[in-house]
Amino acid sequence: SILINKKFSEIPESIAYNFKLLNSIFHMIDVDNDGFITLDEFRNACNVVFKHLGLNYSDEEIEKFLVLI
């Protein structure tokens, strides 16, 4: 549909607009600076965010979330 295509067509523009922020976040998560985010790095980043929000999720729940994205 046209609405879905419009939504997805805006994604690259949004990424370009927020590139510096996204790049900074990526480098904060990629603690070993190898250019990749491992499952452990992703899990640790999620736990930091969840703790800040007062939430608690198991490693299994975080891995299920990762599969969705």
Side-chain angles (χ1 to χ4, degrees):
S1 78
I2 295 172
L3 182 60
I4 291 173
N5 289 336
K6 184 178 185 318
K7 180 179 178 181
F8 286 116
S9 70
E10 294 172 358
I11 291 173
E13 182 180 330
S14 176
I15 290 172
Y17 181 77
N18 294 296
F19 180 78
K20 286 183 180 181
L21 175 62
L22 293 169
N23 192 44
S24 295
I25 293 168
F26 180 89
H27 287 290
M28 287 188 315
I29 296 171
D30 179 27
V31 294
D32 63 4
N33 296 312
D34 67 352
F36 299 92
I37 296 175
T38 65
L39 178 57
D40 284 339
E41 290 169 331
F42 181 78
R43 186 183 301 120
N44 290 338
C46 286
N47 283 326
V48 168
V49 171
F50 295 152
K51 183 177 180 180
H52 178 74
L53 296 174
L55 304 171
N56 187 22
Y57 291 97
S58 69
D59 288 347
E60 183 179 285
E61 290 171 312
I62 292 171
E63 289 175 27
K64 286 180 183 178
F65 171 71
L66 181 59
V67 171
L68 295 174
I69 57 171

